[in-house]
Amino acid sequence: MAEQKVDTTHLKQAAAEHAAQQLQSGMLVGLGSGSTARLAVAAIGARVQQGLDIIGVPTSEATAQQAEELGIKLATLGQYPQLDVTIDGADEVEVGTLYLVKGGGGNQLREKIVASASKRLVIIVDESKLVKQLGTKAPIPVEVAQFGWQSTAHKLQQIGARTELRGGESNPYITDGGNYILDSTFGPIERALHLQSQLDSITGVVEHGLFLGLTSQVFIGTPDGVAELDPLPDR
Ligand code: A5P
């Protein structure tokens, strides 16, 4: 029997509003992408309409459009290379480490650049995204150059991935940066840092959805309210 999908929008909404409440006027804020981040951008927009004065740096064209429509002032990393905080969603959060898989929505390159440029990365999720080990529920989206993508896929397979070109060969998904995505299934990942360095060393890989050591705090929408996962000591 097919697994029944439970609508958790109200839980994600609570986490998104909680994160938006942390912002103060004067902050430079990275704006994430995906359905949960979209709720956060809406909550930030509502605060801006009430007088919150922040500048946002969007992680995708879709987020830029939403933010503009809400009257959120936007800038680029060219204007502000370092941001105070980024609020974004995730496909998986490893509970013990706060390591993430991101990129289900295809924006991992810009998301990682913006997250890396931020003093704090706040992640908003519902409980369905929590895992003991990365790779349990979601593939790792690996963004690759279009040129020679089959060779890059072959290299990913050599390190143990089952790869799938997002969208399929007849209609491949193209990222905001003009690249393809190979959704790469490794199964539960025991040595995430090792896999990260393997992925980083493959020519043709532009970026990938492992976000390790970047997360400052996770807000989880639960039926009992918003729970927080402890910040890592060094972020
Ligand atoms: C977008 O590329 C992603 O990194 C999203 O943050 C992630 O896929 C979570 O998306 P949802 O909030 O839509 O589940």
Side-chain angles (χ1 to χ4, degrees):
M1 213 167 64
E3 200 184 319
Q4 217 180 350
K5 199 135 171 90
V6 181
D7 184 8
T8 57
T9 306
H10 62 295
L11 303 177
K12 297 197 275 189
Q13 175 88 41
E17 281 173 12
H18 193 76
Q21 280 307 320
Q22 317 290 315
L23 301 183
Q24 291 165 8
S25 284
M27 282 184 163
L28 299 166
V29 182
L31 304 172
S33 298
S35 62
T36 317
R38 193 172 176 81
L39 297 171
V41 174
I44 294 167
R47 286 203 62 202
V48 165
Q49 278 147 29
Q50 291 159 5
L52 179 75
D53 186 15
I54 56 118
I55 293 175
V57 173
T59 54
S60 64
E61 301 297 330
T63 297
Q65 193 186 337
Q66 183 199 6
E68 261 170 24
E69 284 166 9
L70 291 166
I72 300 173
K73 279 185 265 176
L74 294 181
T76 65
L77 289 177
Q79 293 162 288
Y80 299 104
Q82 195 179 30
L83 308 180
D84 294 298
V85 62
T86 287
I87 300 174
D88 205 345
D91 300 306
E92 287 187 339
V93 178
E94 190 172 80
V95 173
T97 57
L98 305 194
Y99 288 172
L100 313 172
V101 171
K102 285 184 53 55
N107 309 111
Q108 69 275 4
L109 172 61
R110 293 189 187 184
E111 288 174 337
K112 200 184 278 190
I113 292 171
V114 170
S116 303
S118 300
K119 290 182 208 155
R120 291 172 45 73
L121 173 62
V122 173
I123 294 296
I124 45 175
V125 289
D126 64 59
E127 288 171 297
S128 70
K129 305 289 185 62
L130 303 180
V131 295
K132 283 205 179 116
Q133 223 166 29
L134 294 184
T136 311
K137 296 184 178 185
I140 313 298
V142 181
E143 185 159 346
V144 300
Q146 291 194 31
F147 181 83
W149 70 267
Q150 297 93 335
S151 267
T152 312
H154 183 64
K155 287 187 186 137
L156 289 165
Q157 289 153 15
Q158 283 179 319
I159 62 163
R162 185 161 49 77
T163 61
E164 202 172 315
L165 180 67
R166 191 175 294 182
E169 284 195 45
S170 54
N171 186 26
Y173 176 86
I174 297 180
T175 67
D176 282 347
N179 302 303
Y180 287 165
I181 292 183
L182 291 167
D183 284 309
S184 301
T185 303
F186 292 90
I189 297 163
E190 276 175 30
R191 295 193 300 151
L193 286 165
H194 178 66
L195 179 59
Q196 170 178 254
S197 63
Q198 284 183 305
L199 294 174
D200 286 342
S201 72
I202 295 178
T203 305
V205 168
V206 179
E207 195 43 90
H208 55 80
L210 285 179
F211 282 50
L212 311 184
L214 291 172
T215 309
S216 308
Q217 203 162 24
V218 181
F219 293 140
I220 309 152
T222 82
D224 301 321
V226 177
E228 295 184 18
L229 282 183
D230 288 336
L232 297 174
D234 60 339
R235 290 271 306 174

